[in-house]
């Protein structure tokens, strides 16, 4: 496209997983560019997943929870997963609580995950609340909880991340909303400023995710 059409600026959407091709396009493009969903020090707009980890722990601690886990079997190398875990770990440390990070070092087949989740949900010192940013992990947590006869949120509180309230299983899950429209508007505004002043860089903006009850 860039060889055939002229463009004053480039808006690059770079959701997980990492995309080397997007970086190559940005480097070859002579004009100003703005990245979406990519945590960079300049010229980017991304979601504040570290803040989600922190705010989720604070919310659960305020509700009386002390055994709070962060679960993710996706093993994603994207910064969103890393930021979520970092925010969670820092918040647990600040609250004086032992972290319970459930994230295997290697990739776990989907068919094995429900059994592993049932194991830690049936442990005598099981978590009473779980934060997960992974859609597939969330589904498997809900399945395992149902198989163990657990009631949500009486026996287990769950917080997740999605573009709307997650209610696919017939139960509305507390959700941090990825507001993509807001991200797009912020990205376009930043790109327009860069087009007006091509030599000027923009400090990247981390967008806070609204919490939907």
């Amino acid at each position: 496209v860039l060889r055939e059409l002229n463009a004053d600026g480039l808006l690059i959407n770079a959701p997980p997983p990492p995309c080397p091709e997007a970086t190559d396009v940005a480097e070859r493009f002579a004009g100003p560019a703005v990245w979406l969903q990519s945590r960079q020090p300049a010229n980017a707009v991304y979601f504040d997943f570290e803040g989600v980890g922190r705010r989720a722990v604070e919310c659960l601690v305020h509700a009386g929870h002390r055994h709070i886990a962060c679960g993710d079997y996706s093993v994603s190398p994207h910064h969103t997963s890393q930021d979520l875990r970092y925010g969670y770990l820092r918040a647990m440390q600040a609250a004086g609580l032992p972290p319970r990070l459930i994230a295997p070092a290697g990739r776990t087949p989907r068919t094995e995950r429900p059994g592993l989740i049932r194991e830690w949900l049936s442990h005598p010192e099981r978590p009473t609340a779980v934060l997960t940013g992974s859609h597939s992990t969330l589904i498997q947590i809900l399945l395992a909880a149902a198989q163990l006869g657990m009631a949500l949120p009486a026996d287990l509180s769950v917080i997740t991340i999605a573009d709307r309230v997650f209610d696919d299983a017939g139960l509305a899950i507390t959700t941090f909303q990825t507001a993509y429209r807001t991200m797009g508007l912020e990205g376009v505004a930043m790109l327009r400023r860069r087009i007006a002043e091509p030599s000027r860089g923009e400090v990247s903006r981390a967008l806070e995710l609204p919490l939907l009850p």
Side-chain angles (χ1 to χ4, degrees):
V1 173
L2 297 180
R3 288 195 296 267
E4 299 175 0
L5 301 175
N6 290 323
D8 295 322
L10 189 62
L11 199 62
I12 305 171
N13 188 28
C19 180
E21 292 81 6
T23 302
D24 181 61
V25 168
E27 291 176 348
R28 290 188 288 108
F29 182 63
V34 167
W35 291 78
L36 301 180
Q37 302 194 73
S38 178
R39 176 168 48 74
Q40 303 189 32
N43 309 318
V45 181
Y46 57 92
F47 292 126
D48 181 15
F49 275 69
E50 181 181 336
V52 168
R54 172 182 53 79
R55 291 165 58 203
V57 169
E58 292 173 350
C59 177
L60 291 168
V61 168
H62 181 73
H65 292 280
R66 296 297 179 266
H67 302 285
I68 304 168
C70 181
D72 185 2
Y73 284 88
S74 65
V75 198
S76 172
H78 197 262
H79 72 82
T80 51
S81 295
Q82 300 167 9
D83 292 352
L84 182 66
R85 296 173 193 172
Y86 182 69
Y88 161 81
L89 291 172
R90 290 198 64 183
M92 291 293 284
Q93 182 181 34
L97 300 174
R100 308 185 71 168
L101 190 59
I102 303 168
R107 187 169 298 279
T108 305
R110 289 178 184 268
T111 54
E112 297 179 11
R113 296 176 193 174
L116 294 173
I117 293 172
R118 282 196 303 273
E119 285 184 17
W120 55 260
L121 280 183
S122 57
H123 192 275
E125 297 184 2
R126 67 170 181 83
T128 60
V130 182
L131 164 66
T132 180
S134 166
H135 180 272
S136 61
T137 301
L138 172 62
I139 292 293
Q140 290 150 2
I141 289 173
L142 297 179
L143 173 61
Q147 291 172 335
L148 292 171
M150 300 174 70
L152 276 68
D155 298 321
L156 182 70
S157 293
V158 181
I159 295 181
T160 192
I161 303 169
D163 59 358
R164 56 177 175 80
V165 172
F166 185 91
D167 57 2
D168 294 23
L171 178 69
I173 302 298
T174 300
T175 306
F176 282 94
Q177 183 187 30
T178 47
Y180 291 108
R181 183 176 184 276
T182 299
M183 173 176 281
L185 292 173
E186 291 287 342
V188 169
M190 182 179 290
L191 183 58
R192 292 183 66 180
R193 292 193 297 270
R194 294 214 64 208
I195 292 172
E197 298 183 63
S199 61
R200 172 188 169 185
E202 288 275 340
V203 176
S204 293
R205 182 170 181 194
L207 299 179
E208 182 175 287
L209 279 68
L211 180 61
L212 305 179

